[in-house]
Amino acid sequence: MRLAVVGATGAVGRELLSLLSERRFPVTSLRLFASARSAGKAVSFGASSIPVEELPASGDLASDIVFSSAGSRISATHAWEWARHGALVIDNTSAWRMDDRVPLVVADVNDEAARSHQGIIAVPNCSIIIALMALAPLHRAFGLRRVTIATYQAVSGAGTAGMSELEQQARAALAGEPIKTGKFKHQIAFNIFSHDSDIGEDGYNGEERKMLLEARKILAAPELLLSATCVRVPVYRAHSEAIHAEFDRPVTVVEALEVLRAAPGVRLVDDRTSNTFPMPLDATGQDDTLVGRVREDVSKPGALALFVSGDQIRKGAALNAVQIAETAVASSRPRQAALSGVS
Amino acid sequence: MRLAVVGATGAVGRELLSLLSERRFPVTSLRLFASARSAGKAVSFGASSIPVEELPASGDLASDIVFSSAGSRISATHAWEWARHGALVIDNTSAWRMDDRVPLVVADVNDEAARSHQGIIAVPNCSIIIALMALAPLHRAFGLRRVTIATYQAVSGAGTAGMSELEQQARAALAGEPIKTGKFKHQIAFNIFSHDSDIGEDGYNGEERKMLLEARKILAAPELLLSATCVRVPVYRAHSEAIHAEFDRPVTVVEALEVLRAAPGVRLVDDRTSNTFPMPLDATGQDDTLVGRVREDVSKPGALALFVSGDQIRKGAALNAVQIAETAVASSRPRQAALSGVS
């Protein structure tokens, strides 16, 4: 496949490249695009070094698959154009997620939705991907009715700039020097704050609204009730979430664990004796979402409480995009084989 | 009043001393006790310096009020003995909180319960104190039925050792050096983990169980339903909590804000336009609990979602103890005055 990565120098772009190489994705050509500022830099891919090009203002990227992770403004402007030139655009931004023409896909959760794409497949918001890795299999087994979620979100959600800001602020705080803010309005080192997205009239911020609307679309459950409180914590790159979930029928812990144990992309980390549960440090760099603290909700018979940690850059963004691409490649093979007369 | 502070060199003990001085508590004598290790050290109180004594194995501390914050083992062993010697013991440990003879008091929430004490008044768990600063007035107005809480707890809950561990680990992480654990089993710098208390058969840990049982006792609401997920975050000394609350009747945001605005010890920090909400850094060193993100729970009509931050050492422990002592002093004055024939 001829690939293009738009936003190749960002946190998600770099992770995409390392995953494509690691997972031996079938690459015949690879073009890397970024802003004018990064153009000319070289980025390594496996053993080779690939120059970064400035993203052309319009036109054809001469690629079969375009991974778009340079921000929603870029995707909003260019994605359909790339698709019209024959590319499958796998969009890691929020630009088209709620568009009816665009499937919103969590690999291992609703891969089948990808089949109906018209040139763009969207990767959901990272927080809802990580929640759904645990909630989607439970939904299928028991019918999810209402969810409340409190997030503990890593700074990587704001890209490499978020990660450097945490590091710089932590250094300054430990040295007793003044704290500089930039990417975030509030200090993040040794602090937490309500997610830095705009607040709507109902008091929910953009991140919280995405979680509700995207969960409904991904699960094809327009009636699903979901209330999230999204909070940034001074962690580099994995998101964690405390979840309370109510179902159509009472669910026991034994039943829930059985479902979660069989769920792809989920690793149960639930050792009550040694007090070992999902932690962002353990989730960092992992493909699986860690799930634990599975217990019957003591405030609601038959409901569940649980806790998840997942790598926000990996499963929450880059890995999910690569998995979508892998499925697309696998399902396009028979057609290619037929065309070339091999089968 | 003749005061004694047991655990005078700990995080809560030191804060107690600074609050007693700051608030001009009527002190006629002050004895400071700690373990043998700290005995002989001098601790400053206002302009004076007071030597720390080793806690005697038994007997009379010759004090009217004993603040006990040297751990629940010390309180379990000595508190009733101190009380029998005529002291009012204000206990900052979990030793006697659920004992029927011991009132469990959050100042400004259930001061009236203190009147029935038999020599010991217990200060509740810090996480439930901070939650109840917002929830108790809402309960009184609307009848609290069910609460779910996810906590973002500072390391100060584990005392000064917890705070130094966060600092040491953050320095090591930034220097690329190995991380040493000690007070906590898991790394806390740039990480979060499920609260380090023992897990019961129902899957809830000790901290979560305290929140449920203590809330019921403090609010005198034995039917209250409460499910908490307690999580440590790399913050030095204020706890934050994401709360979903359901009431006996539907509650609007306007009604809730009116109640919270009038609630003592609560400061509303709820600026949706500037995205300014409660943060642990802003709560640190404050007497008030910060409350914000007040919104109707989009997943449950008539329920509320909110977010609180409160100084765990101050309102969550030392300030609450001093406030209880102040009330005790105020209510004992008429009796003293009567005895001395002044009125």
Side-chain angles (χ1 to χ4, degrees):
Chain A
M1 306 295 277
R2 299 170 306 153
L3 304 187
V5 176
V6 177
T9 57
V12 173
R14 284 174 187 277
E15 194 74 17
L16 264 166
L17 293 171
S18 101
L19 283 163
L20 289 168
S21 161
E22 213 175 273
R23 296 167 73 95
R24 300 172 186 279
F25 193 89
V27 181
T28 51
S29 74
L30 176 59
R31 294 182 71 184
L32 305 184
F33 297 98
S35 63
R37 196 162 32 95
S38 296
K41 282 185 191 167
V43 166
S44 60
F45 177 71
S48 41
S49 174
I50 300 177
V52 176
E53 306 172 57
E54 184 179 349
L55 183 69
S58 67
D60 190 358
L61 301 185
S63 301
D64 301 308
I65 296 178
V66 174
F67 293 101
S68 184
S69 63
S72 55
R73 213 150 46 100
I74 299 286
S75 283
T77 310
H78 297 289
W80 286 110
E81 194 177 6
W82 299 330
R84 270 195 302 277
H85 280 96
L88 167 61
V89 179
I90 299 178
D91 188 9
N92 259 307
T93 80
S94 62
W96 300 103
R97 284 182 192 148
M98 296 310 296
D99 191 292
D100 284 342
R101 298 164 294 174
V102 176
L104 187 59
V105 175
V106 181
D108 287 330
V109 163
N110 66 331
D111 302 275
E112 70 290 352
R115 282 190 218 123
S116 64
H117 79 80
Q118 297 174 34
I120 303 178
I121 298 172
V123 173
N125 168 275
C126 49
S127 299
I128 200 60
I129 291 180
I130 288 159
L132 290 185
M133 290 308 292
L135 289 174
L138 295 172
H139 170 60
R140 249 172 247 124
F142 313 116
L144 193 59
R145 186 177 284 179
R146 180 186 175 217
V147 195
T148 64
I149 304 181
T151 69
Y152 303 72
Q153 295 185 227
V155 294
S156 56
T160 49
M163 291 189 276
S164 349
E165 188 150 311
L166 169 56
E167 186 183 332
Q168 293 310 315
Q169 288 184 354
R171 283 189 198 284
L174 291 169
E177 288 164 6
I179 302 291
K180 288 187 201 124
T181 54
K183 187 72 191 175
F184 301 121
K185 182 184 168 183
H186 305 291
Q187 176 179 335
I188 185 61
F190 307 109
N191 193 29
I192 70 170
F193 55 77
S194 183
H195 192 274
D196 41 307
S197 48
D198 287 348
I199 316 289
E201 284 196 3
D202 59 1
Y204 284 83
N205 63 42
E207 184 84 352
E208 292 161 356
R209 189 165 310 104
K210 283 177 192 170
M211 290 186 77
L212 167 60
L213 299 177
E214 295 184 20
R216 285 177 172 172
K217 180 168 176 176
I218 296 161
L219 298 180
E223 316 271 287
L224 178 69
L225 300 166
L226 185 153
S227 171
T229 302
C230 289
V231 176
R232 281 250 193 251
V233 296
V235 161
Y236 284 110
R237 62 174 274 174
H239 288 357
S240 305
E241 307 181 26
I243 300 175
H244 283 86
E246 302 169 23
F247 301 89
D248 288 338
R249 69 158 179 90
V251 179
T252 67
V253 170
V254 172
E255 290 174 312
L257 289 177
E258 194 177 28
V259 166
L260 291 167
R261 217 169 267 127
V266 163
R267 180 149 59 90
L268 268 178
V269 180
D270 204 16
D271 186 343
R272 294 179 179 184
T273 312
S274 71
N275 206 327
T276 301
F277 300 110
M279 296 194 296
L281 269 190
D282 287 345
T284 296
Q286 300 297 309
D287 290 351
D288 286 343
T289 297
L290 313 185
V291 181
R293 304 265 6 240
V294 182
R295 58 209 195 278
E296 286 180 50
D297 180 342
V298 74
S299 74
K300 184 107 188 172
L304 294 176
L306 59 154
F307 194 79
V308 299
S309 291
D311 189 315
Q312 178 271 324
I313 301 184
R314 219 167 163 99
K315 182 61 192 178
L319 173 65
N320 197 59
V322 173
Q323 288 174 312
I324 291 169
E326 287 169 345
T327 306
V329 169
S331 62
S332 70
R333 264 192 200 128
R335 187 163 64 96
Q336 292 183 328
L339 287 173
S340 61
V342 172
S343 80
Chain B
M1 307 296 276
R2 298 170 306 152
L3 305 187
V5 176
V6 177
T9 56
V12 173
R14 284 174 186 277
E15 194 74 16
L16 264 167
L17 292 171
S18 103
L19 283 163
L20 290 168
S21 159
E22 214 175 89
R23 296 167 74 93
R24 302 172 186 280
F25 192 89
V27 182
T28 52
S29 75
L30 176 60
R31 295 182 70 185
L32 306 183
F33 297 97
S35 63
R37 196 162 34 93
S38 296
K41 283 185 190 168
V43 166
S44 59
F45 178 71
S48 41
S49 174
I50 301 178
V52 176
E53 305 171 57
E54 185 179 348
L55 184 69
S58 68
D60 190 359
L61 300 186
S63 301
D64 302 308
I65 296 178
V66 174
F67 294 101
S68 186
S69 64
S72 55
R73 215 149 45 100
I74 299 286
S75 284
T77 310
H78 297 289
W80 286 111
E81 194 178 5
W82 299 329
R84 270 195 301 276
H85 281 96
L88 168 61
V89 179
I90 300 177
D91 188 8
N92 259 308
T93 80
S94 61
W96 299 105
R97 283 181 193 149
M98 296 310 296
D99 191 291
D100 283 343
R101 298 164 294 174
V102 176
L104 188 60
V105 175
V106 181
D108 286 332
V109 163
N110 66 331
D111 300 276
E112 70 290 352
R115 282 191 218 123
S116 63
H117 78 80
Q118 298 174 35
I120 304 179
I121 298 172
V123 174
N125 167 275
C126 49
S127 300
I128 200 61
I129 291 180
I130 288 158
L132 289 185
M133 290 309 292
L135 289 174
L138 295 171
H139 171 60
R140 249 173 247 121
F142 313 117
L144 193 59
R145 185 176 286 178
R146 179 186 176 217
V147 195
T148 64
I149 303 182
T151 70
Y152 304 72
Q153 295 185 228
V155 293
S156 56
T160 48
M163 291 190 276
S164 349
E165 189 150 311
L166 169 56
E167 186 182 333
Q168 292 312 316
Q169 288 185 353
R171 283 189 199 283
L174 291 170
E177 288 164 7
I179 303 291
K180 287 187 203 124
T181 54
K183 188 71 191 173
F184 301 121
K185 182 184 167 183
H186 304 291
Q187 176 179 334
I188 185 61
F190 307 111
N191 193 28
I192 70 170
F193 55 76
S194 184
H195 191 275
D196 40 306
S197 48
D198 287 348
I199 316 290
E201 283 195 4
D202 59 0
Y204 283 84
N205 63 42
E207 183 84 353
E208 293 161 357
R209 190 166 310 105
K210 283 177 191 170
M211 291 186 76
L212 167 60
L213 299 177
E214 296 184 20
R216 285 177 173 172
K217 180 168 176 176
I218 296 161
L219 298 179
E223 316 271 286
L224 178 69
L225 300 167
L226 186 152
S227 170
T229 302
C230 290
V231 177
R232 282 249 193 252
V233 297
V235 162
Y236 284 110
R237 62 174 274 175
H239 288 358
S240 305
E241 307 180 27
I243 300 174
H244 283 85
E246 301 168 23
F247 301 90
D248 288 338
R249 69 160 180 89
V251 178
T252 67
V253 170
V254 172
E255 290 174 312
L257 289 176
E258 194 177 27
V259 166
L260 291 167
R261 216 169 268 124
V266 163
R267 180 148 59 88
L268 269 177
V269 180
D270 204 16
D271 186 342
R272 294 178 178 184
T273 313
S274 71
N275 206 325
T276 301
F277 300 110
M279 297 194 296
L281 267 190
D282 288 345
T284 296
Q286 301 296 310
D287 290 350
D288 286 343
T289 297
L290 313 185
V291 181
R293 304 262 9 238
V294 182
R295 58 210 195 277
E296 287 179 50
D297 180 342
V298 75
S299 75
K300 183 105 187 174
L304 294 176
L306 58 153
F307 194 79
V308 299
S309 291
D311 189 314
Q312 178 271 324
I313 302 184
R314 220 167 163 100
K315 182 61 192 177
L319 173 65
N320 197 59
V322 173
Q323 288 175 314
I324 291 170
E326 287 169 345
T327 305
V329 168
S331 61
S332 69
R333 262 190 203 131
R335 186 162 63 97
Q336 291 184 328
L339 289 173
S340 61
V342 172
S343 79

